[in-house]
Amino acid sequence: MIRLKCPLNLQRLLFPFLLSFLVIAWGGARAQSPDSLKQHLTGLLEQYQHHTLCDTAYLKAVDSAAPLLLHDDNLEQLLSTYQQIAFGGKGLDRYKASYYTYLAIYSYNMNRFGSAIYYSEKNNEERIRIGMFEKEGIPHSDLFTITVYYNNKDYARVFSKYSALRPALLKLPAAILSGKVSQEQAYVAFGILNAVVDASYKTGDTTRANEGILICEGMLAGMGKQPQKFRGDSIVYNYIYHTLCYEKEKYRSHFDQARDLLKTAFREVRSRKFLPHLQPGYTEDIYSEAFDFYFDHNKKDSAQHYLDLVRSLQDSSVKFSSMRLSFLLESNSKLLASNGHFEAAYKELSKVYRMKDSSFYAVSSDKDNNLYALAKAEDTENELLRAEEKKRAAERSNTFLFLLLMLLTLGGVAVFLMYRSRQRQRLLNLRLSLARNFHDEVGPMLLYASTLVKKEAETNPSARLVELKGQIVHIMEGVRGISHDLKSSEIGTVQTFYKDVCGLLEKIRASTGIDFTTKMNNGSRVLSHLQYTNLRKIVDELITNSIKHAECSLIAIDVKATERRLQINYSDNGKGMLSGRQTVGIGLQNMEERVGLLKGEFQLNNAWPEGYSIDISIPLL
């Protein structure tokens, strides 16, 4: 039984979420007139524009006044700043949903039913986005839509919408039994079935009506097995179910059964357990239905009693009902006519007809008002196009700035590369000059010193002259290395040294069958020409010894560069070194001298006849 012929009762059928926060807000604003509320909103806007109110404070303040302006023609203009803030900031999604809620009820009040449905759907989308509504399940906007169609007596659309929702509604009893349906989804389903069953009896479609009642019974059975989950709302669901059963018995002309069901609904709606914010609207509904029921069965005293009860309702959530004025006039006209007061009845009825004409115009304009939703969608598309154009303009500007920045960057890179090329050329010339000085000046002096030492040794041989000659040879080798490093454009590294050694071992494996394993880390460390050439000669000597004397099948080399030193570990799986062998001794002596020249350390670990290993460590720059 649905009598939603006014905005208030529409609110009542929609789930409490739709206006629950508005009901709270009314508490502080209900005593104010619309004009004072407008002045209040104007003052809030001035405070916001003067930065004495932040975004959220302004939005909350508007929420305290807007619910009582849902009949005002200028509501959209009053909410324009509210809309800009809600849709322009982050973390304000719930205010977007509130904005759509205001416009949905406002559009309904203005008889823009298509727009009301449009805004209800947007409200549904936003509340799903912020987690207030379930993503899966029957959309709350469908309850709004089907209620609008029912109130306009557009039963064909009611049934069309029901056909689309029917598969989901048929699954609800089993889903409730398995605990997969929330309280709000249950309420949405009962609200839809309420409208569908009532519309079905009005059109004589008992098959659809009976199906709706069976679904309600299945849902109630499932709820009965989950009392904790549905305890707070169960009396509302039972009330809706009993009013539907009342419609069924009334349709079948079963007076006594219908009357008993009506009394059951009375007890439920008057119960303290009935949800307080739903009670006034449902009470008005059931009293109005009771008047029609008893008047149709010629029970005038009972009809008058319930008419007086409707007239006596003073709750603020009901007193704005335009439906009640129409109902009171029409019902009073019926009673006057039945008592022979035809002139007074006619006057009352004339007022009703004038209201009916206005209502008929509103209903007949529903088709045109649906165009508003299309216009709104088109306007939204235009907004998107404008936003896209702004985006493209911004992208073009960004592209220009990017190209300019890129050109500046490339110009800077080119200047830097030219400067670096000149600096490198200048450095190269300096290195070549130093190399020539070492080679042309220091080299001849060392050679002359070596000749003098040689002649002195021929006439006056001594151990010191032999040592001096060796030192001069080492100095000459160092000078040649420095000269080579200065001339070379390639820098020797641990990596290149390691690759050269691996290349040599590959050739040896191919020719002798001796396998090898190698390790290396930190290969980017730089080696001087002196270090590089001496290390190569040391490793070459070690490999030669392994081939000639060790009778090995595997050579292992580990090259490790630390922060300050280069460490080389060399070993093979041969028989090691037999002490006293002169050739081996000379080779080791040469290696030790080269390591000494590099200011390094040399250690032999001989384990004859099980092989040997050598550890070499030299300092790095």
Side-chain angles (χ1 to χ4, degrees), residues 223-243:
M223 292 175 182
K225 296 183 179 180
Q226 300 180 65
Q228 294 299 321
K229 183 174 183 180
F230 295 98
R231 179 174 56 186
D233 298 339
S234 60
I235 192 168
V236 178
Y237 303 139
N238 283 315
Y239 167 84
I240 294 174
Y241 171 67
H242 289 137
T243 57

Side-chain angles (χ1 to χ4, degrees), residues 432-501:
L432 291 173
S433 176
L434 289 173
R436 282 194 297 270
N437 290 338
F438 270 101
H439 185 270
D440 297 341
E441 296 181 17
V442 180
M445 287 189 292
L446 290 173
L447 182 60
Y448 177 69
S450 177
T451 302
L452 291 177
V453 170
K454 181 179 179 182
K455 288 184 178 181
E456 183 65 23
E458 290 176 354
T459 57
N460 298 306
S462 68
R464 290 186 177 182
L465 289 175
V466 173
E467 183 180 355
L468 178 58
K469 182 179 180 181
Q471 289 298 322
I472 292 174
V473 170
H474 289 162
I475 293 172
M476 291 179 65
E477 187 172 350
V479 169
R480 283 196 294 270
I482 293 172
S483 179
H484 182 277
D485 286 341
L486 289 171
K487 288 183 178 180
S488 176
S489 61
E490 296 183 1
I491 300 176
T493 63
V494 174
Q495 176 78 19
T496 55
F497 166 73
Y498 174 77
K499 286 185 177 180
D500 287 347
V501 172

Side-chain angles (χ1 to χ4, degrees), residues 24-25 47 77 144 175 235 241 378 384 389 453 472 560:
I24 294 172
Q47 293 181 52
Q77 182 179 350
F144 191 102
I235 192 168
Y241 171 67
E378 183 179 352
L384 290 174
E389 179 59 32
V453 170
I472 292 174
K560 183 186 299 181

Side-chain angles (χ1 to χ4, degrees), residues 1-259:
M1 176 178 60
I2 302 178
R3 288 180 170 271
L4 302 186
K5 301 175 183 177
C6 67
L8 171 73
N9 287 330
L10 172 66
Q11 297 167 13
R12 189 218 60 207
L13 181 62
L14 298 178
F15 191 60
F17 66 82
L18 194 59
L19 285 178
S20 60
F21 67 95
L22 302 184
V23 172
I24 294 172
W26 286 352
R30 68 171 59 183
Q32 301 183 46
S33 67
D35 289 338
S36 64
L37 287 172
K38 289 181 185 178
Q39 292 174 2
H40 177 60
L41 288 178
T42 302
L44 291 174
L45 180 58
E46 290 177 355
Q47 293 181 52
Y48 176 74
Q49 291 173 341
H50 288 87
H51 307 291
T52 57
L53 279 180
C54 66
D55 288 352
T56 53
Y58 176 77
L59 294 173
K60 289 179 180 178
V62 173
D63 281 341
S64 70
L68 289 182
L69 291 171
L70 295 176
H71 291 79
D72 194 284
D73 292 339
N74 298 317
L75 181 66
E76 288 180 294
Q77 182 179 350
L78 293 171
L79 293 178
S80 59
T81 302
Y82 184 101
Q83 178 195 22
Q84 292 171 10
I85 298 172
F87 287 79
K90 294 182 179 179
L92 301 175
D93 291 339
R94 79 177 187 89
Y95 294 103
K96 294 181 187 178
S98 299
Y99 175 76
Y100 286 131
T101 300
Y102 292 140
L103 289 193
I105 303 300
Y106 166 77
S107 297
Y108 186 89
N109 293 343
M110 298 294 107
N111 298 321
R112 299 173 181 172
F113 305 117
S115 302
I117 292 171
Y118 170 81
Y119 287 123
S120 175
E121 291 172 350
K122 298 298 292 183
N123 171 73
N124 192 74
E125 292 173 7
E126 290 299 330
R127 294 187 187 273
I128 288 175
R129 195 191 320 277
I130 61 179
M132 290 182 66
F133 293 170
E134 295 170 295
K135 186 174 182 180
E136 304 297 334
I138 302 172
H140 300 74
S141 55
D142 283 346
L143 172 56
F144 191 102
T145 302
I146 210 166
T147 304
V148 170
Y149 291 156
Y150 175 87
N151 290 343
N152 290 331
K153 298 183 180 181
D154 194 346
Y155 301 135
R157 287 189 179 180
V158 171
F159 298 145
S160 175
K161 176 63 71 172
Y162 172 72
S163 297
L165 298 174
R166 184 172 177 269
L169 290 167
L170 290 172
K171 295 177 182 178
L172 281 179
I176 289 176
L177 196 60
S178 62
K180 297 179 180 179
V181 177
S182 66
Q183 288 178 305
E184 66 179 53
Q185 273 291 293
Y187 192 96
V188 169
F190 270 104
I192 290 173
L193 291 170
N194 193 354
V196 171
V197 171
D198 202 32
S200 298
Y201 281 125
K202 282 180 168 51
T203 57
D205 189 346
T206 57
T207 301
R208 184 181 280 114
N210 290 334
E211 181 181 75
I213 292 176
L214 286 174
I215 295 174
C216 289
E217 290 175 349
M219 292 170 65
L220 288 172
M223 292 175 182
K225 296 183 179 180
Q226 300 180 65
Q228 294 299 321
K229 183 174 183 180
F230 295 98
R231 179 174 56 186
D233 298 339
S234 60
I235 192 168
V236 178
Y237 303 139
N238 283 315
Y239 167 84
I240 294 174
Y241 171 67
H242 289 137
T243 57
L244 295 182
C245 292
Y246 156 79
E247 291 288 346
K248 178 179 180 180
E249 297 303 329
K250 186 179 73 168
Y251 179 81
R252 296 166 65 182
S253 299
H254 294 166
F255 175 82
D256 293 338
Q257 293 88 333
R259 180 195 58 200

Side-chain angles (χ1 to χ4, degrees), residues 206-418:
T206 57
T207 301
R208 184 181 280 114
N210 290 334
E211 181 181 75
I213 292 176
L214 286 174
I215 295 174
C216 289
E217 290 175 349
M219 292 170 65
L220 288 172
M223 292 175 182
K225 296 183 179 180
Q226 300 180 65
Q228 294 299 321
K229 183 174 183 180
F230 295 98
R231 179 174 56 186
D233 298 339
S234 60
I235 192 168
V236 178
Y237 303 139
N238 283 315
Y239 167 84
I240 294 174
Y241 171 67
H242 289 137
T243 57
L244 295 182
C245 292
Y246 156 79
E247 291 288 346
K248 178 179 180 180
E249 297 303 329
K250 186 179 73 168
Y251 179 81
R252 296 166 65 182
S253 299
H254 294 166
F255 175 82
D256 293 338
Q257 293 88 333
R259 180 195 58 200
D260 292 342
L261 287 166
L262 204 56
K263 291 179 179 180
T264 300
F266 287 157
R267 289 193 298 270
E268 289 168 337
V269 79
R270 292 167 178 167
S271 172
R272 293 182 178 179
K273 297 180 180 180
F274 206 92
L275 297 177
H277 59 286
L278 299 179
Q279 199 169 33
Y282 279 122
T283 301
E284 180 182 0
D285 258 7
I286 199 67
Y287 287 169
S288 303
E289 183 59 43
F291 170 85
D292 288 339
F293 176 76
Y294 285 112
F295 184 86
D296 291 344
H297 289 85
N298 203 29
K299 305 288 184 179
K300 296 181 183 179
D301 292 340
S302 297
Q304 182 67 58
H305 170 70
Y306 287 107
L307 180 60
D308 292 340
L309 287 177
V310 172
R311 188 179 287 114
S312 67
L313 291 174
Q314 295 299 321
D315 188 274
S316 61
S317 63
V318 178
K319 67 181 180 181
F320 298 109
S321 172
S322 60
M323 181 276 285
R324 185 169 8 132
L325 178 58
S326 173
F327 171 77
L328 291 174
L329 291 171
E330 186 174 1
S331 300
N332 196 43
S333 175
K334 288 181 181 179
L335 287 174
L336 289 171
S338 66
N339 291 322
H341 304 297
F342 298 112
E343 184 176 352
Y346 174 75
K347 290 181 179 179
E348 296 287 276
L349 201 58
S350 296
K351 297 177 183 178
V352 175
Y353 286 153
R354 285 195 292 272
M355 295 183 67
K356 293 280 188 180
D357 289 341
S358 176
S359 299
F360 176 78
Y361 173 77
V363 172
S364 63
S365 66
D366 184 38
K367 179 178 179 180
D368 295 331
N369 283 317
N370 270 295
L371 297 177
Y372 180 83
L374 298 176
K376 193 69 179 180
E378 183 179 352
D379 183 62
T380 302
E381 183 179 357
N382 291 334
E383 284 291 335
L384 290 174
L385 291 174
R386 286 192 290 270
E388 189 66 27
E389 179 59 32
K390 289 181 180 179
K391 181 180 177 182
R392 284 196 293 268
E395 287 177 349
R396 288 194 295 268
S397 177
N398 290 338
T399 302
F400 174 76
L401 291 175
F402 175 77
L403 290 175
L404 180 60
L405 180 61
M406 182 64 69
L407 289 174
L408 291 174
T409 303
L410 291 175
V413 170
V415 170
F416 172 75
L417 291 176
M418 290 173 62

